[in-house]
Amino acid sequence: MPVLMKAQKYLAVSTFALCATLFHAAPLRAASTTADAAAAVSTSADVAADITSPEPQAAAPAAAPAPAAAPAAPPTWSVGPIDFSGLVDGYYNFNANHPSTGQNQLRNFDFDANSFSLNMVKLSMAHSPDPIGFQVDLGFGKAFNIFGGGISSCNGGLPSSQCDSGNDVNLEQAYVAWKPTKGKGFEADFGQFVTSASAEVIETMNNPNYSRSLLFVYTVPYYHMGLRTSMPITKKETVGFQLVNGWNNITDNNAGKTIGLTSLYTAKLFNWALNYYVGPENTGTDQGYRNLIDTTLNLTTTAKWTSYINYDYVQNRNAAQIGTTGRYQTTNLYHRQGVAFESRYQATGTLALSGRYEYLVDGSDIGDTGGTSTLITANAANTAHAAGFNKSTLQEFTITGEYKVAAGMLARLEYRRDNDDNNFFQKGTSKFVRSQSTLELGVVAFFGPHR
């Protein structure tokens, strides 16, 4: 057996052994943060109503029940009616393939390989609607360079007077919220806000794992610009309607608009989120529609065991310009779908273990880079070999050990292995192989936002 394969196996076994050792160690602190509970639930972006999250989702009903232990909240900073929150998130990543590009493939936020890196720094200001409120989230670091990469797409990726400013890369959310006193829970938000799709969110500590899932990277948008509403219709069911420019753009890339329909059903031991987005998303034309179905079932089996199942299906009818006429016609249909399974065990107030498995199928036509680039470049950091993603079946397994250093500070040690049925992953300078193994240590410090 080659030495490298032995080393990778030893790396995986060592990670499991280290996590097991942590769980048998005496806890250094008895209290855990509310972020531990929210990360265990891992709801969709509009469901992540964790009081320690620096990104409170407007009009989001309560998530599934959290573990019974009442954790201590991190520090809160407030000035009058305005709540401040923030985070600093950094990591070290080891990639056994040692790619010459220095990047992990199929990643968006933790894409630096064999290096220390700053994922993100974020500062938020918020005021809960009474009946008027607002939310402003500013961020810096490589995650926001990727997050904001789509804002200037209306000019081929280059800012201009007709497109968004390059400074908007640092903006995650900025919206005004209105919640009428007699509106029976109705809320309307206008501005830029994060998507309702996905089982994961942008802030690391509100997810069970340190790295983001393939579904988060390759099937859903990050944010929208427009109108978002929500309304509880029963004690357990909340529905919503959205009218937005599209996917990951502040200035629209065409004249058409995207419609979003959301639903959340919350019961005692589970909640079920269902989201649907539809609209024209091809740049420069309203020809060809994009459809996204996203659904997540969050389960709270016991006070210590929580899990989720996330399914995504996305398709895009591509369009091509007809000669030099300026007119477009629809062409081929691009689509991909995948499922993710996640389970988290809260061993003690300070220690937790999470595991995730994903299966993602890319069903685009062979040689089709139009649809691929439309979706991949919206979210992915490494697109140098995007063509190799066509007609691919991807699998990913991740195990994450978490230790709560203090209230408002988490450390996570994570082993992840990605596999493709093509030789997709770069190894060294010029060789390509079917798998990628990484080991990383991430540390997140955060505070706020609510009293």
Side-chain angles (χ1 to χ4, degrees):
M1 181 179 292
V3 174
L4 183 57
M5 292 180 66
K6 288 183 178 180
Q8 289 184 11
K9 288 190 174 182
Y10 176 76
L11 189 63
V13 172
S14 299
T15 304
F16 276 85
L18 179 56
C19 292
T21 302
L22 286 174
F23 291 136
H24 286 285
L28 297 182
R29 295 176 183 269
S32 67
T33 66
T34 305
D36 293 332
V41 176
S42 184
T43 60
S44 63
D46 263 12
V47 185
D50 179 355
I51 66 168
T52 66
S53 167
E55 180 190 317
Q57 301 302 318
T76 300
W77 293 2
S78 298
V79 178
I82 300 177
D83 292 326
F84 292 85
S85 61
L87 67 89
V88 178
D89 182 358
Y91 64 92
Y92 178 83
N93 178 282
F94 170 78
N95 187 321
N97 286 345
H98 296 282
S100 60
T101 60
Q103 292 190 352
N104 301 311
Q105 291 169 266
L106 303 183
R107 307 291 181 87
N108 50 359
F109 292 171
D110 60 331
F111 60 89
D112 283 344
N114 301 309
S115 174
F116 290 100
S117 185
L118 179 65
N119 180 12
M120 71 170 68
V121 176
K122 179 178 171 181
L123 179 64
S124 301
M125 297 177 291
H127 174 66
S128 299
D130 56 357
I132 303 298
F134 71 91
Q135 177 80 35
V136 177
D137 296 332
L138 301 175
F140 305 88
K142 292 192 175 182
F144 276 83
N145 291 337
I146 301 304
F147 174 83
I151 64 168
S152 301
S153 59
C154 57
N155 189 38
L158 300 175
S160 74
S161 58
Q162 286 77 37
C163 300
D164 305 315
S165 166
N167 294 326
D168 293 333
V169 169
N170 300 319
L171 184 64
E172 178 185 342
Q173 294 191 113
Y175 62 84
V176 175
W178 176 53
K179 193 171 186 178
T181 305
K182 299 182 180 181
K184 297 182 179 180
F186 172 82
E187 182 170 334
D189 306 326
F190 179 77
Q192 179 184 341
F193 43 81
V194 295
T195 188
S196 298
S198 182
E200 297 178 337
V201 294
I202 294 168
E203 289 73 22
T204 303
M205 69 279 185
N206 291 332
N207 298 312
N209 304 102
Y210 187 84
S211 64
R212 303 304 186 276
S213 64
L214 295 172
L215 299 186
F216 186 79
V217 177
Y218 288 109
T219 63
V220 301
Y222 286 145
Y223 65 90
H224 310 280
M225 176 68 190
L227 174 68
R228 173 178 67 181
T229 67
S230 67
M231 178 70 184
I233 56 176
T234 70
K235 291 182 178 180
K236 295 184 177 181
E237 176 72 18
T238 296
V239 298
F241 172 82
Q242 300 177 15
L243 181 64
V244 298
N245 284 340
W247 287 39
N248 299 337
N249 52 17
I250 300 176
T251 300
D252 208 343
N253 63 342
N254 54 36
K257 297 294 176 282
T258 287
I259 292 175
L261 303 176
T262 65
S263 169
L264 177 67
Y265 181 85
T266 303
K268 183 177 180 180
L269 298 179
F270 73 93
N271 65 46
W272 177 39
L274 178 63
N275 304 288
Y276 176 63
Y277 286 93
V278 58
E281 287 303 314
N282 293 316
T283 300
T285 178
D286 294 343
Q287 295 289 319
Y289 271 58
R290 182 177 301 175
N291 291 267
L292 168 65
I293 300 174
D294 166 81
T295 184
T296 302
L297 177 65
N298 297 286
L299 303 170
T300 304
T301 309
T302 67
K304 291 189 174 184
W305 278 104
T306 55
S307 307
Y308 75 71
I309 303 172
N310 178 212
Y311 171 78
D312 283 317
Y313 175 81
V314 59
Q315 69 172 29
N316 192 83
R317 174 64 70 179
N318 296 324
Q321 191 169 3
I322 305 174
T324 59
T325 63
R327 295 183 294 110
Y328 288 77
Q329 65 180 6
T330 56
T331 57
N332 58 320
L333 182 67
Y334 169 80
H335 59 94
R336 69 167 56 115
Q337 61 181 326
V339 61
F341 302 92
E342 170 72 46
S343 187
R344 174 183 169 96
Y345 178 66
Q346 188 71 44
T348 70
T350 57
L351 298 173
L353 182 67
S354 300
R356 180 181 63 207
Y357 171 76
E358 293 183 271
Y359 187 87
L360 178 64
V361 177
D362 186 298
S364 58
D365 296 333
I366 296 177
D368 166 32
T369 58
T372 303
S373 62
T374 298
L375 292 175
I376 286 184
T377 56
N379 287 350
N382 190 315
T383 59
H385 309 290
F389 195 62
N390 293 341
K391 289 290 184 180
S392 289
T393 299
L394 287 164
Q395 298 183 69
E396 173 263 320
F397 172 73
T398 300
I399 183 166
T400 306
E402 177 184 285
Y403 172 62
K404 188 185 77 67
V405 181
M409 187 172 185
L410 298 176
R412 288 178 177 168
L413 180 63
E414 178 172 292
Y415 171 78
R416 171 167 169 167
R417 185 173 179 86
D418 297 278
N419 291 277
D420 190 353
D421 57 358
N422 298 305
N423 290 327
F424 177 81
F425 300 97
Q426 184 174 10
K427 184 175 182 180
T429 303
S430 57
K431 185 178 180 181
F432 289 87
V433 295
R434 294 191 175 188
S435 63
Q436 171 184 259
S437 292
T438 61
L439 178 67
E440 64 187 348
L441 175 65
V443 178
V444 187
F446 52 98
F447 67 93
H450 288 301
R451 295 170 172 79

